[in-house]
Amino acid sequence: MLGKVILTVAATALVVAGCSTPPPPPLPVPPTVHTPVPGEVEPAGCLGTGVTVKSGPVEAALGHRAVVLTLTNCGTTPRTLTGYPEVRLLDREKRPMTVEVEHGTSYMAIDPGVSPQTVRPGGTLLSVVSWSNTVTAGSPEAGAYVTVAAAKGDPEQRITVDTDLGTTGKLTLTAWNAELKH
């Protein structure tokens, strides 16, 4: 009888152990995303800050894409900027997309690095936004607009730019500079 009780207890323990599920794997840590604080999108034209930003056409090479942003001082006094524009990517419905924004050099552009850049009235500064159209897993994403603020806290301007990100979810941005580095 004792053997039957021990066998029943052992069998019950095996059944219970076999029914338990292992703990789920830890959730992946999301990448650090530089997300500028959303501001009010200003219409094109000369902003109260004395600048306006426009984009050139999207250039493509071997699965990589880039667009040059041109900031023009449309005001009456010089403006000094140090660093990178604030950029957000929007979808076709003008909703912000979750993308990582890296500062630095990409396949399409060399980052000149951060240094004070003074732009006189009528002068321009340039920055390059680049991305790779790589599809690895999941659904490809595409943005339709980019909002650009000359500096943190400045008003944003919305520019139509088709960005076929694939599944990378990443933009690379160069600092403002008077000329593009090759």
Side-chain angles (χ1 to χ4, degrees):
M1 178 80 164
L2 182 58
K4 199 173 186 182
V5 171
I6 291 173
L7 186 60
T8 303
V9 170
T12 304
L14 284 174
V15 169
V16 170
C19 290
S20 66
T21 58
L27 294 175
V29 177
T32 302
V33 177
H34 171 74
T35 307
V37 177
E40 191 171 319
V41 176
E42 297 280 343
C46 194
L47 302 176
T49 56
V51 298
T52 189
V53 179
K54 295 183 180 176
S55 74
V58 174
E59 301 290 337
L62 300 171
H64 301 277
R65 314 281 192 262
V67 64
V68 176
L69 301 176
T70 303
L71 174 140
T72 302
N73 183 339
C74 52
T76 57
T77 60
R79 173 98 192 260
T80 300
L81 296 170
T82 303
Y84 299 84
E86 293 285 310
V87 172
R88 290 188 307 135
L89 187 60
L90 308 177
D91 65 14
R92 295 199 187 291
E93 286 77 37
K94 299 179 180 121
R95 295 179 304 226
M97 296 175 64
T98 302
V99 297
E100 180 182 355
V101 178
E102 286 185 345
H103 295 163
T105 296
S106 69
Y107 182 85
M108 297 292 282
I110 296 172
D111 185 16
V114 175
S115 64
Q117 300 289 318
T118 299
V119 59
R120 302 205 177 283
T124 60
L125 293 177
L126 305 170
S127 177
V128 178
V129 178
S130 57
W131 61 95
S132 296
N133 179 327
T134 304
V135 177
T136 55
S139 299
E141 292 193 65
Y145 304 94
V146 173
T147 63
V148 181
K152 189 172 186 167
D154 278 6
E156 298 175 314
Q157 288 182 277
R158 186 175 50 236
I159 302 167
T160 302
V161 177
D162 288 323
T163 52
D164 51 346
L165 291 177
T167 56
T168 63
K170 181 173 85 171
L171 298 174
T172 304
L173 185 63
T174 65
W176 288 120
N177 200 39
E179 58 187 44
L180 297 177
K181 303 292 182 185
H182 301 295

